[in-house]
Amino acid sequence: MPEEAQHSVRTRQLFYIPGYDPVPPRRYRELYRKESAEQAAISGYSLTMQPKSKGVRNFGWGISADIDGQKTDTQAEILFWADIVQDSMDQNIPRTYLLLLSTAWEYIGSGALFGLMKLRIGPVLAALYPVAMLLLQLLLALALGGAAFYLSALYLHWGVGVVLGAAVLCAVLVWFKRKDAKLFAYYLMHDYGYSARYKGENPPELEARMAEFADRIAQAVRSDVDEVLVVGHSSGAHLAVSILADLLRQGRVPANGPRLGLLTLGQVIPMVSFLRNASRLRADLNYLCQQNRLSWVDVSAPGDGATFALCDPVAVSGVAPETGQLHPLVLSAAFTQTLSEAKRKELHRRFFRLHFQYLCAFDQPKDYDYFKITAGPQFLGDRFAHRSHSPSRITRAVNPHTSQSA
């Protein structure tokens, strides 16, 4: 490929779609600021951040980069849905336990859990963790409450025992909920329950927000930037797939507009696409994988236990076309090669931090460099044009539900 074809991005519009995350968007700006500075120092290039451009309604920032002798200006925007996440997490203790039961029933009763177990055990264990932890908390609360009842009834009065036993039970459960910033049981339960509640369909409030995101991206692809790059991390990956599928189906991506790229990172698409009513997402995967109007690269790592690492989200969902699948290019971030032993020791057992490593600096970088991709001079497709799928890519179709919406 000619050098000028590989180094041709002067201006870029970057959209970042977070996963199921209640944190405000400024946290992503500060993460980008810190990690980009570290990566630039490691890799020997220049990258600076500025305030967002005037007229940009969403939270964002500007990026000026000098990489490989070429200057590139990027405008980054966060497509924000943390308010929806926060609302979905605003549930009391009894409702969370009811959510546990309904979510477990949906994944087990529909057969989705057994299909997911045939792919990667790591994310399945991550999904089972909040169930086990919440049940353990309940058992401990019942045991302590029962002990309080027994001793009170034995030495005082059974009526006093009922009151004290109930009070201890509630106090233990409340204490655990207050400690969830370290345990993550409630957070993860609400995460998995959010998709399971509608059996894989997008809740109405999320569909409305995705339509707003689509409108904003549609404006960008009609602008004069060189590249529009959409990044979806974790649960944000399946939102990005559906949004871009909608735009292309509706003819809202002009043929002579900016080049369009999709980068999915640490995706958990099977957690949704394996649910019985996820026919919209499965249709979007089938449609998008055949479109030559965009480049789609999917990056994950076996060291990240919260992702379906190296699983082709189209193929494993059972919706790959017999011929004509163009996307995604499935690549490994290869943490064992791109992170030094000291860095891996630092991140050992920090499971959530590892799930965000794709957005961070690598001290032994190879082809994957988040900041070169999002702020550098190469188009997404050109950057990985020489790469083939990682050898460990998983393509076996194990989804028990393969229906697609019309």
Side-chain angles (χ1 to χ4, degrees):
M1 184 172 291
E3 189 73 2
E4 62 271 18
Q6 297 182 23
H7 301 271
S8 54
V9 181
R10 295 161 299 172
T11 56
R12 172 187 292 107
Q13 178 65 57
L14 169 67
F15 294 102
Y16 175 75
I17 306 178
Y20 186 89
D21 196 343
V23 304
R26 64 178 178 274
R27 291 278 295 275
Y28 290 101
R29 177 190 62 194
E30 294 312 309
L31 179 67
Y32 197 100
R33 184 191 307 278
K34 174 181 177 295
E35 297 294 331
S36 65
E38 183 176 339
Q39 190 69 73
I42 291 170
S43 300
Y45 53 77
S46 172
L47 192 152
T48 58
M49 293 173 58
Q50 297 92 27
K52 67 180 181 181
S53 299
K54 293 181 179 179
V56 175
R57 295 176 59 188
N58 295 313
F59 187 92
W61 60 90
I63 311 164
S64 293
D66 189 341
I67 299 175
D68 298 332
Q70 184 168 333
K71 297 182 185 300
T72 307
D73 291 317
T74 298
Q75 184 63 220
E77 290 185 35
I78 302 293
L79 297 182
F80 177 77
W81 62 293
D83 56 325
I84 296 176
V85 173
Q86 291 165 3
D87 288 345
S88 74
M89 294 177 65
D90 187 19
Q91 301 188 44
N92 58 30
I93 294 172
R95 288 179 62 186
T96 299
Y97 278 93
L98 289 174
L99 180 67
L100 182 157
L101 293 174
S102 63
T103 301
W105 173 253
E106 175 56 30
Y107 275 101
I108 296 172
S110 69
L113 180 64
F114 305 106
L116 295 170
M117 291 175 67
K118 297 175 183 177
L119 295 177
R120 290 281 186 184
I121 195 63
V124 174
L125 292 177
L128 292 175
Y129 165 79
V131 176
M133 179 58 72
L134 287 171
L135 290 178
L136 181 62
Q137 293 175 15
L138 180 59
L139 288 174
L140 183 58
L142 287 170
L144 293 176
F149 167 78
Y150 175 77
L151 294 173
S152 299
L154 183 63
Y155 293 106
L156 298 172
H157 186 274
W158 70 267
V160 176
V162 170
V163 173
L164 285 179
V168 169
L169 185 150
C170 292
V172 172
L173 289 176
V174 169
W175 184 85
F176 274 120
K177 191 172 191 295
R178 288 175 177 171
K179 295 295 182 181
D180 201 61
K182 294 183 177 180
L183 298 174
F184 300 107
Y186 282 82
Y187 164 71
L188 288 171
M189 192 69 258
H190 294 145
D191 184 354
Y192 298 123
Y194 189 67
S195 297
R197 179 184 174 190
Y198 290 92
K199 301 177 176 57
E201 291 183 282
N202 293 322
E205 70 276 8
L206 184 57
E207 279 288 354
R209 188 63 56 86
M210 290 166 63
E212 294 176 13
F213 295 166
D215 289 342
R216 178 64 193 97
I217 296 172
Q219 292 176 3
V221 296
R222 294 194 301 269
S223 69
D224 59 358
V225 298
D226 297 319
E227 180 181 50
V228 173
L229 177 61
V230 179
V231 177
H233 174 245
S234 193
S235 300
H238 79 81
L239 303 188
V241 165
S242 290
I243 290 166
L244 293 185
D246 284 347
L247 286 174
L248 286 163
R249 276 197 203 96
Q250 296 163 4
R252 301 174 72 185
V253 178
N256 59 349
R259 286 175 62 174
L260 180 61
L262 170 61
L263 177 66
T264 49
L265 304 172
Q267 55 89 3
V268 291
I269 288 173
M271 286 299 298
V272 182
S273 65
F274 276 44
L275 293 172
R276 67 184 85 190
N277 287 354
S279 56
R280 188 257 219 259
L281 175 57
R282 290 190 288 266
D284 294 339
L285 288 165
N286 172 267
Y287 176 81
L288 198 65
C289 79
Q290 302 178 70
Q291 303 307 305
N292 61 9
R293 299 285 300 282
L294 84 162
S295 299
W296 177 8
V297 177
D298 180 74
V299 179
S300 56
D304 173 14
T307 185
F308 284 89
L310 305 183
C311 292
D312 182 322
V314 178
V316 301
S317 297
V319 294
E322 292 186 6
T323 59
Q325 179 176 348
L326 304 175
H327 315 289
L329 173 63
V330 177
L331 301 177
S332 176
F335 290 169
T336 57
Q337 301 175 37
T338 54
L339 296 174
S340 66
E341 184 177 356
K343 187 68 172 179
R344 295 200 305 275
K345 286 183 178 179
E346 177 189 331
L347 298 177
H348 184 59
R349 295 189 183 280
R350 295 176 61 188
F351 301 112
F352 275 89
R353 173 59 178 77
L354 274 172
H355 192 46
F356 280 84
Q357 178 58 41
Y358 313 97
L359 312 177
C360 299
F362 289 80
D363 57 356
Q364 296 179 169
K366 293 186 181 293
D367 280 354
Y368 179 77
D369 179 326
Y370 181 64
F371 306 100
K372 279 188 174 182
I373 292 170
T374 56
Q378 284 186 284
F379 291 103
L380 178 69
D382 291 348
R383 180 172 183 80
F384 295 103
H386 68 290
R387 288 293 306 271
S388 55
H389 297 291
S390 290
S392 299
R393 178 178 63 134
I394 298 172
T395 59
R396 57 182 176 273
V398 292
N399 190 355
H401 308 287
T402 57
S403 63
Q404 301 178 44
S405 61

